[in-house]
Amino acid sequence: MKTSIVGFPRVGKLRELKFVTEKYFRDEVSEQELKEEGRKLREEHWTLQKESGLDYIPSNEFSYYDGVLDAAVLFNIIPNRYQELRLSEQDTYFAMARGYQGDHGDVKALAMKKWFNTNYHYMVPEIEDSTQIRLAGTKPLEEYKQAKDLGIETKPVLVGPFTLLKLAHYLGEKKAKDFRDDLAASYVELLGELADLGAELVQLDEPCLVKDITKEDLTLFLQLYSTILEKKGSLKILLQTYFGDIRDCYQEIVGLDFDAIGLDFIEGKKTLELLRNYGFPKDKVLFAGVINGKNIWRNSYEKSLHILKDLESKGIQTVVSSSCSLLHVPFTLENETKWDRSITEHFSFAKEKLSELADLKKLTESADYEKEESYQKNVALFAKDRQAEDPAVQARVAAIKESDFTRLPAFDDREKVQKERFQLPLLPTTTIGSFPQTADVKAERTKKKKGEITEEEYNTFMKDKIAECVKMQEDIGIDVLVHGEFERNDMVEYFGENMSGFLFSEKAWVQSYGTRCVKPPIIWGDVSRKNPITVTWSSYAAGLTDHPMKGMLTGPVTILNWSFPREDISIKESTYQIGLAIRDEVLDLEKNGISIIQVDEAALREKLPLRKEDWYTDYLDWAIKAFRLVHSGVKPETQIHTHMCYSEFTDIIRAIDDMDADVITFEASRSNLEILDSLQENRFQTEVGPGVYDIHSPRVPSEEEIYAALEKMLAKVEKTKLWVNPDCGLKTRGNKEVKPSLENMVKAAKRMREAIQ
Ligand code: GLN
Ligand code: ZN
């Protein structure tokens, strides 16, 4: 059997792309130097894949920021406000990604959204009525040619037209179908040019097919592809799906003239059933995604071969593939120097997954694979005791009662008690928790890690930072303060490091958005809290001010979702274990006089199943409960806040209210405050702070802009329930923009208070 991957990490083995791009942003390297690094990285990645023996090597999944943005630009989906800046092509692209403030003008970035159920973010293309879709670029051609010149045949990868139209926002009257024909024609043109260069097979990614598909969606898909498939000539088309199964349209899809179809056998829980019930055409190739592109555990060859052999026995032409792009796993285990072999032998990052594919290829070709050494070693690995269990933790989870999920008294009563206690003004101002992680802060943490400074020196430094931060917030006039989270490298890693059951890599970076990468912890075993984690810092900060100081924790669902989860126990079980640990921390903070505690569930929406029918049965049923478990033990006068990144929760708004927090802050500024209608319609009871400005961009919002946002909010949210805050933590920003931004925020809030008093 031949082998394939859907895509490969772009940022490089040691995040080279991130660093050079950021240098470009700071004007430290030229566009030419940036592009040179891009070429170099692509060459390295292709060579590595080629040497591993991979048969279908992807190209054009490389990107300087995001693949959906690349596709938008490729097809001239560039809103006027960016064109009007009259920047170079490259800088127009980055203006769309990051916003632009300078000599050429002042525009916000495109909206950014989570890529399906991952922690990767894509830029949302905006289509205006005046948008003229046409083939306007050459990126896929250039990258294909670059590989070809190196003697490497690749399979160009494109975001498919259906997914592109489905993900786009339509600003005017026109809708997806109005752009259908132009887009289909542009793909035809592009595919023709790729074929002329010698491409044999092109991969069109259509992950939108794994979501709920309406009749109209299917019609759109069929219309787009009838044009494309009719004109493909001798070029072969691989329709690639991932992140689930295509249960809504399987029969229609396999009936079309695709040469190959990629299906996900990891997250596609109905993929096998679909194949069993409806078969798979003998004249097409099935790219079987059996290697998990999202997790770092070794593949079970026994399981994979079971599937692959079954497909073979049915006479289906099969290629072994990853379940999705390897973009979602780190580059290589080779960067990890501290782990013992007894740990690393269980893991497989992107590069190692290539060797798993090579193994599977050999095993499928073997007369008796069970006798092969690679197979036997793999079976033995899965039989090993990893020493990951803690009976005490398991017993505690087993003893959780229904009443442990309910906080008393009910919301309205608590709200009264808390208004009485805190005496905050209308539209109280606050921030999400972190303040800029400046170079000195990062350096200090590194020094401590390396043992270059004493605990005491470190603590003194952090205390000074906290004091400075508290003072700054007081000066600006913020009502509910935070300590700034300087001691935290990352909101999940910090807690993981203070609990048992987690493992941390040195360099296992995964791209989150643009040049931002995260290093997710690995949940290795049963989880418990070793000691109080945040109490000392929060108490110290609280002692510096008369304002309420928020204690700041990360919630269990987010810790789970931003880690690589275990595959040997259920995710629900792991999350409850973490929930109990965070519950202990909440109660310790309360005991130490912290009156407001924020439990961030930044990533709650992220792992919501992509299909509605699975929402409550596979996820929300336990995820919301895990959050409630964390705070159900506090007193009525203790105020529980939560924060969620991205406001795309209109569809699960009741579940969010049902988390039963007292206040929720979230991102709304980038998605045009759509969420507000839904809050109003659903009589959302939790007090809300829909972010009044976008912290993902370095631009400083004006007071007027924030005031205008507040006006919009007040049209939909009762004034007694509205909070004023930025849309996320400030750690990635600089003090240069943070201070003026917060000042404008407080001014706008004060002015609005006067107006509505
Ligand atoms: N409290 C965290 C911070 O302010 C929340 C971060 C997040 O939502 N991603 O950084
Ligand atoms: Zn956030």
Side-chain angles (χ1 to χ4, degrees):
M1 274 181 198
K2 287 191 173 171
T3 53
S4 179
I5 55 171
V6 176
F8 198 72
R10 313 146 174 163
V11 285
K13 188 171 177 182
L14 294 166
R15 290 181 295 161
E16 292 86 345
L17 186 63
K18 166 195 173 72
F19 296 118
V20 71
T21 312
E22 287 176 351
K23 278 191 190 151
Y24 180 74
F25 293 158
R26 293 192 302 263
D27 252 339
E28 291 166 17
V29 296
S30 67
E31 181 176 332
Q32 202 191 336
E33 285 166 292
L34 172 70
K35 298 229 161 122
E36 196 39 53
E37 184 67 32
R39 289 181 71 82
K40 211 180 91 203
L41 285 170
R42 292 195 295 271
E43 178 173 343
E44 269 172 33
H45 300 169
W46 289 324
T47 309
L48 191 90
Q49 293 168 51
K50 173 103 187 172
E51 284 169 357
S52 79
L54 186 70
D55 295 302
Y56 291 100
I57 297 173
S59 63
N60 193 48
E61 19 76 275
F62 174 86
S63 177
Y64 285 103
Y65 206 91
D66 164 53
V68 178
L69 179 60
D70 292 329
V73 169
L74 179 65
F75 295 113
N76 200 39
I77 304 175
I78 306 174
N80 281 323
R81 65 178 187 276
Y82 301 107
Q83 303 198 25
E84 282 157 9
L85 292 171
R86 309 247 164 263
L87 294 165
S88 70
E89 230 174 85
Q90 189 64 58
D91 288 343
T92 306
Y93 173 88
F94 283 134
M96 293 167 78
R98 313 171 63 232
Y100 176 90
Q101 202 165 35
D103 299 342
H104 290 250
D106 179 1
V107 287
K108 291 189 200 171
L110 290 175
M112 187 165 72
K113 276 192 185 159
K114 301 241 176 206
W115 180 240
F116 297 83
N117 52 2
T118 73
N119 184 27
Y120 176 75
H121 305 66
Y122 70 97
M123 306 306 304
V124 182
E126 277 176 21
I127 304 188
E128 299 166 319
D129 283 350
S130 60
T131 300
Q132 292 287 327
I133 291 188
R134 63 184 168 83
L135 181 59
T138 53
K139 179 179 180 289
L141 303 164
E142 280 167 35
E143 294 185 12
Y144 176 79
K145 248 175 78 200
Q146 186 200 343
K148 189 125 188 147
D149 292 344
L150 294 165
I152 300 174
E153 180 59 32
T154 59
K155 126 193 111 157
V157 176
L158 302 167
V159 176
F162 174 67
T163 295
L164 188 59
L165 287 180
K166 288 295 292 174
L167 296 181
H169 266 176
Y170 297 85
L171 300 191
E173 300 291 310
K174 293 192 192 166
K175 293 281 164 277
K177 66 173 181 1
D178 301 309
F179 297 93
R180 179 194 62 215
D181 296 345
D182 284 346
L183 189 62
S186 308
Y187 273 81
V188 168
E189 190 182 343
L190 175 61
L191 293 176
E193 291 185 17
L194 282 167
D196 289 345
L197 287 178
E200 291 156 22
L201 175 115
V202 172
Q203 171 182 320
L204 294 177
D205 284 0
E206 292 288 12
C208 270
L209 289 179
V210 312
K211 306 222 298 188
D212 294 316
I213 298 293
T214 62
K215 263 212 184 112
E216 278 144 330
D217 291 332
L218 189 59
T219 308
L220 178 67
F221 183 90
L222 294 174
Q223 286 168 335
L224 283 163
Y225 279 95
S226 79
T227 311
I228 292 170
L229 293 174
E230 196 179 298
K231 306 227 172 98
K232 73 187 166 83
S234 59
L235 182 71
K236 295 198 164 64
I237 305 285
L238 159 62
L239 172 76
Q240 183 65 52
T241 66
Y242 41 81
F243 303 145
D245 56 65
I246 54 170
R247 70 186 80 151
D248 288 349
C249 53
Y250 182 84
Q251 282 173 285
E252 284 88 351
I253 300 291
V254 296
L256 297 175
D257 192 21
F258 289 110
D259 302 276
I261 298 178
L263 301 178
D264 181 346
F265 286 76
I266 302 288
E267 284 189 278
K269 53 175 193 171
K270 298 221 166 153
T271 299
L272 279 171
E273 190 184 316
L274 290 166
L275 280 161
R276 215 178 302 123
N277 292 350
Y278 306 110
F280 190 85
K282 300 274 180 297
D283 61 340
K284 297 192 196 321
V285 182
L286 171 60
F287 279 58
V290 295
I291 298 265
N292 193 340
K294 277 188 175 172
N295 210 344
I296 47 69
W297 299 91
R298 283 214 84 94
N299 183 256
S300 159
Y301 292 174
E302 190 184 350
K303 273 194 201 153
S304 297
L305 284 160
H306 186 78
I307 296 172
L308 297 171
K309 285 286 164 183
D310 185 47
L311 295 173
E312 196 173 46
S313 74
K314 292 196 173 98
I316 298 173
Q317 305 178 57
T318 309
V319 169
V320 196
S321 178
S322 60
S323 62
C324 60
S325 170
L326 303 183
L327 173 74
H328 309 290
V329 290
F331 200 101
T332 175
L333 267 172
E334 288 161 12
N335 287 334
E336 304 304 319
T337 59
K338 298 208 173 117
W339 285 332
D340 201 74
R341 164 121 192 97
S342 63
I343 291 175
T344 53
E345 65 182 356
H346 293 279
F347 298 152
S348 172
F349 296 175
K351 187 174 172 193
E352 291 74 33
K353 287 185 195 280
L354 295 174
S355 63
E356 291 186 327
L357 283 163
D359 277 353
L360 287 173
K361 174 175 178 141
K362 275 211 204 108
L363 291 170
T364 54
E365 286 161 3
S366 159
D368 189 358
Y369 69 77
E370 293 185 358
K371 295 234 169 69
E372 302 284 339
E373 197 193 326
S374 67
Y375 182 80
Q376 291 184 353
K377 269 173 79 177
N378 185 271
V379 171
L381 181 73
F382 277 84
K384 261 191 194 169
D385 177 7
R386 290 190 296 107
Q387 314 266 323
E389 306 203 2
D390 180 342
V393 172
Q394 293 173 5
R396 210 177 154 201
V397 171
I400 296 174
K401 302 183 296 297
E402 255 335 279
S403 58
D404 293 331
F405 298 120
T406 308
R407 182 177 173 196
L408 292 172
F411 181 88
D412 289 342
D413 294 339
R414 294 181 337 239
E415 196 178 31
K416 269 185 225 119
V417 176
Q418 291 166 18
K419 292 242 185 265
E420 191 57 38
R421 173 179 190 180
F422 296 111
Q423 297 288 329
L424 293 167
L426 270 180
L427 314 185
T429 50
T430 190
T431 62
I432 306 304
S434 60
F435 268 72
Q437 292 256 332
T438 43
D440 58 329
V441 174
K442 287 186 193 157
E444 199 70 7
R445 277 204 319 266
T446 310
K447 278 193 227 153
K448 170 159 175 255
K449 218 171 182 172
K450 292 193 178 150
E452 291 168 13
I453 47 167
T454 64
E455 184 88 23
E456 206 184 307
E457 283 170 317
Y458 174 79
N459 289 346
T460 310
F461 175 91
M462 287 299 161
K463 283 185 169 172
D464 287 350
K465 274 279 154 193
I466 292 173
E468 218 177 273
C469 180
V470 170
K471 169 95 178 31
M472 173 158 93
Q473 294 170 77
E474 284 184 329
D475 289 347
I476 295 173
I478 294 179
D479 301 304
V480 173
L481 309 194
V482 297
H483 75 285
E485 300 181 29
F486 303 108
E487 77 288 5
R488 304 182 189 180
N489 35 8
D490 170 273
M491 63 187 288
V492 170
E493 189 168 347
Y494 180 72
F495 287 91
E497 275 173 350
N498 286 288
M499 296 196 268
S500 49
F502 284 83
L503 284 181
F504 297 90
S505 63
E506 290 159 75
K507 302 209 163 78
W509 297 97
V510 178
Q511 189 178 14
S512 170
Y513 67 88
T515 61
R516 178 148 179 84
C517 298
V518 293
K519 205 152 54 78
I522 296 168
I523 304 181
W524 172 267
D526 290 334
V527 175
S528 59
R529 190 182 69 147
K530 295 185 231 168
N531 296 299
I533 304 170
T534 63
V535 174
T536 320
W537 295 122
S538 284
S539 306
Y540 165 73
L544 296 171
T545 178
D546 295 334
H547 288 273
M549 172 64 60
K550 284 198 273 192
M552 204 53 70
L553 306 175
T554 304
V557 184
T558 296
I559 293 183
L560 192 287
N561 284 352
W562 281 349
S563 301
F564 290 112
R566 287 166 74 174
E567 291 181 345
D568 60 337
I569 66 168
S570 75
I571 287 181
K572 167 179 165 181
E573 175 93 10
S574 264
T575 313
Y576 280 3
Q577 292 180 359
I578 302 167
L580 287 171
I582 301 294
R583 176 186 171 95
D584 294 344
E585 185 72 13
V586 165
L587 293 174
D588 275 340
L589 282 171
E590 185 184 57
K591 227 184 277 163
N592 282 276
I594 302 298
S595 54
I596 304 187
I597 301 167
Q598 178 172 316
V599 182
D600 290 329
E601 281 295 14
L604 190 124
R605 179 68 171 71
E606 195 168 288
K607 293 280 165 73
L608 185 70
L610 295 172
R611 284 177 193 281
K612 277 203 172 110
E613 63 174 318
D614 301 335
W615 284 0
Y616 288 88
T617 49
D618 287 8
Y619 185 70
L620 291 172
D621 50 344
W622 56 263
I624 302 301
K625 278 178 156 181
F627 183 83
R628 296 171 64 121
L629 181 64
V630 165
H631 70 84
S632 64
V634 301
K635 300 190 186 114
E637 63 269 29
T638 297
Q639 192 169 66
I640 298 292
H641 288 217
T642 187
H643 165 72
M644 291 176 57
C645 297
Y646 307 96
S647 56
E648 271 220 1
F649 53 72
T650 37
D651 38 14
I652 52 164
I653 193 133
R654 299 210 175 240
I656 301 298
D657 220 9
D658 204 34
M659 290 164 76
D660 203 23
D662 299 305
V663 181
I664 178 169
T665 57
F666 53 86
E667 185 264 286
S669 54
R670 272 196 165 198
S671 43
N672 283 323
L673 306 169
E674 281 157 17
I675 179 82
L676 299 176
D677 290 321
S678 153
L679 295 176
Q680 189 179 35
E681 281 158 26
N682 289 281
R683 300 164 168 272
F684 201 70
Q685 69 167 5
T686 316
E687 295 184 9
V688 292
V692 295
Y693 76 88
D694 171 20
I695 63 91
H696 303 86
S697 146
R699 65 184 286 286
V700 174
S702 66
E703 181 187 329
E704 282 64 40
E705 201 175 315
I706 298 175
Y707 191 84
L710 288 174
E711 268 177 337
K712 280 198 205 164
M713 291 174 189
L714 282 164
K716 312 275 172 168
V717 178
E718 272 173 58
K719 61 183 180 185
T720 53
K721 283 201 187 279
L722 188 63
W723 287 66
V724 181
N725 47 267
D727 67 353
C728 195
L730 302 165
K731 62 173 166 259
T732 56
R733 295 270 62 91
N735 279 317
K736 201 171 95 225
E737 66 258 18
V738 160
K739 197 155 177 256
S741 301
L742 291 177
E743 278 166 354
N744 288 346
M745 181 183 91
V746 169
K747 278 188 218 150
K750 286 191 171 153
R751 188 142 70 82
M752 185 56 87
R753 262 174 220 160
E754 304 264 296
I756 60 174
Q757 206 88 153

